[in-house]
Every structure is written in structure tokens, then in C-alpha cells.
Amino acid sequence: MLNSGYEMPILGIGTFRLSQSEAEDSVYWALRDGYRLIDTARIYGNEEGVGRGIRRAIEEGFVTREEIFVTTKMWTDDYGNGAAAIDASLERLGLDYIDLMILHHSAPGSDVSAYQAMEQAVSEGKLRSIGLSNYYTPDDFDRLVGETTITPALLQNETHPYHQSTEMKEHLRQYGTVLESWYPLGGRGNTQTLFNDEAIVEIADAHNKTSAQVILRWHLQAGNIAIPGSSNEAHIQENYEIFDFELTEDEMQRMTALDRNERFASY
């Protein structure tokens, strides 16, 4: 339950680096498999494909629009005209409203006006919830909160076992803002580093699950929303099959002990 009053699924499909056609297929497969959270962004260049995948799934009866939670992000280049950026995303997605729009990066000097444009769009019914991405210090987060009216419902930051966002999660608690993990499995080029971590492999073996499934299960039990991205039909299904087991308290402590405050991305 977000502080905006809307419910958000805790596991979704990410579409970073997917082409229009890949995004369409991945979203369609995900909705067919049971996912209800879709994450895209203007800068990904695939909002149209995401919209097509949503419409395919609706037309085939897998889901209704009301059951889907769609997230997109406003790119920094668009902060100077946030209202137009919101309308453009709605048009590309082919939707009447967006469940969650996020400012893609911190940009002191322009992000406050962009956030205020999102606040206006909430009052107009175009957006239901609004939030932030890539705000990595309490001071930066508070800077924007102090100059705006609607408290961010969500902060989406790079978060995984080696970078557990502990400081920001603790800071967000006072606002009722939830943490969402991008790169929940480490991101392209880094997944094998996490998948082959000895502790994660041992926990996976104990549950007869894959390392990916253990990491995603850890996210959910740690209170993070996770959006693993994939264009692989089998991996999309595998990533959703995490609701039939639970990590023990000891296993959660072992996962917590992996934190190195180490990010894989530089943006």
C-alpha cells in the first residue's frame, strides 16, 4: 500500500534496454504469467511497445487495465516542460492514466518544477502516484520533498545484495515512501557475480531454487519492490516463481551480511 492510497504489486517486469518488439513480447508474457507491475521509461524508447504488450494481454483476456500497475519515468531533458512530457508518455503508452510516474534522476535546479508538473497531473487524473529515482542521499531527497507538496510514494534506486540501500530505506520510513529496486539481480553483465556468490548458491540449493529466485525472494522479504528485466520468456516465468518458498531468518541474515555498499552502475 503506497502512501498515495494505491496498492502496488511487489514484483514486476523491467524493460530497460529492450527494443520496442522485445518490450511488447516481454510485457505480454509477464502479464500472461501473472505479473501485474510493468516498468518502463521515456529514455528506454519502448513505451509504445509496452503499450502494445498491455493491449495484447487485455485483448486475450489475461488481465484488465485496472489490474495492471504501469510505471514510467520522466527523463531529465524533459524536466523543463514536465506537462508535455507526461502527455507524451500517456500517448506513447496508449493509456488514459499512468499508475506511477517517476523523475528518472536527481537534477537540482530543474527537478522541483518537473515534480510540480507531476503533482498537477495527479490533480488532473493523469497520474495516480508519483515518485523519484536515483536520489542516493537523504539530503538530496529532502531537498526535493521540502519544495514540493505530495510526498514521493516511491524511490527507485539500484538495490541488490551487494548494495542494499540501508541508509536510504531507513530515511524513507518517516515519509512512508517505499523502496523499489532497479538492477535487483545486479544488472546485465553483473548477474553472474551475484548468482555465483557462495552464500546465495548454498541458500538456492537448500530450497531447490535458482540464485535469481533466492535474490528476488530476499528483496520481497526485505520489503523491496523488485523489477527484474528480461527478454527471455523462460527467465520471465522463472522470476515469478518465488511465492512458493520462504527464506528463514538465518538465511535472511546471511543475505544481509553480503552488503558491501557496492553499486554496479555509475548513473
Side-chain angles (χ1 to χ4, degrees):
M1 179 62 71
L2 300 177
N3 62 19
S4 57
Y6 291 98
E7 280 191 306
M8 183 176 184
I10 55 176
L11 180 66
I13 178 80
T15 60
F16 178 51
R17 288 188 179 167
L18 300 190
S19 67
Q20 297 278 20
S21 59
E22 288 173 330
E24 177 181 347
D25 286 339
S26 291
V27 166
Y28 170 78
W29 292 329
L31 292 171
R32 179 198 63 192
D33 291 346
Y35 290 80
R36 293 297 178 260
L37 171 61
I38 311 296
D39 184 274
T40 184
R42 194 280 275 180
I43 199 65
Y44 297 172
N46 59 23
E47 286 175 314
E48 293 94 339
V50 167
R52 288 197 298 269
I54 290 171
R55 286 189 291 280
R56 269 175 61 191
I58 291 173
E59 288 166 4
E60 295 192 24
F62 293 130
V63 70
T64 65
R65 169 64 184 102
E66 293 71 30
E67 293 172 312
I68 307 171
F69 193 103
V70 181
T71 302
T72 193
K73 308 176 196 79
M74 188 189 301
W75 186 241
T76 52
D77 289 352
D78 301 328
Y79 285 4
N81 195 345
I86 294 163
D87 288 341
S89 279
L90 282 164
E91 184 172 347
R92 285 189 294 265
L93 287 162
L95 300 176
D96 295 328
Y97 66 92
I98 293 167
D99 296 275
L100 172 67
M101 182 171 263
I102 298 171
L103 295 187
H104 210 138
H105 280 274
S106 169
S110 62
D111 55 6
V112 169
S113 62
Y115 193 88
Q116 289 169 337
M118 295 199 303
E119 291 180 319
Q120 179 62 30
V122 170
S123 70
E124 295 169 353
K126 295 176 180 179
L127 308 177
R128 291 194 166 176
S129 302
I130 56 179
L132 304 173
S133 182
N134 298 308
Y135 286 67
Y136 284 96
T137 67
D139 285 349
D140 198 28
F141 187 87
D142 290 349
R143 170 187 60 80
L144 186 133
V145 170
E147 296 187 57
T148 55
T149 303
I150 298 176
T151 303
L154 175 145
L155 173 64
Q156 187 183 117
N157 278 0
E158 179 185 346
T159 307
H160 45 72
Y162 287 1
H163 185 267
Q164 298 186 18
S165 299
T166 307
E167 179 189 28
M168 285 306 295
K169 277 181 73 173
E170 183 63 34
H171 186 70
L172 296 176
R173 197 164 291 151
Q174 64 189 296
Y175 297 111
T177 303
V178 300
L179 181 78
E180 182 174 32
S181 312
W182 64 259
Y183 271 9
L185 301 176
R188 288 168 179 78
N190 303 300
T191 53
Q192 294 308 312
T193 300
L194 292 179
F195 291 174
N196 293 320
D197 183 282
E198 183 179 351
I200 294 173
V201 170
E202 288 179 3
I203 294 170
D205 288 345
H207 290 277
N208 196 28
K209 289 289 186 177
T210 66
S211 290
Q213 289 169 325
V214 165
I215 294 168
L216 291 172
R217 184 70 212 182
W218 165 78
H219 276 291
L220 303 195
Q221 289 183 221
N224 307 333
I225 296 173
I227 43 170
S230 181
S231 59
N232 182 299
E233 187 173 4
H235 288 167
I236 290 170
Q237 183 173 4
E238 174 191 327
N239 289 343
Y240 197 73
E241 294 174 347
I242 60 172
F243 297 100
D244 58 352
F245 78 108
E246 190 170 319
L247 301 184
T248 66
E249 189 173 329
D250 178 64
E251 289 168 340
M252 286 296 292
Q253 289 175 354
R254 288 189 71 189
M255 294 293 289
T256 299
L258 296 177
D259 193 7
R260 307 173 181 180
N261 201 29
E262 176 188 326
R263 293 189 59 198
F264 289 126
S266 59
Y267 43 82

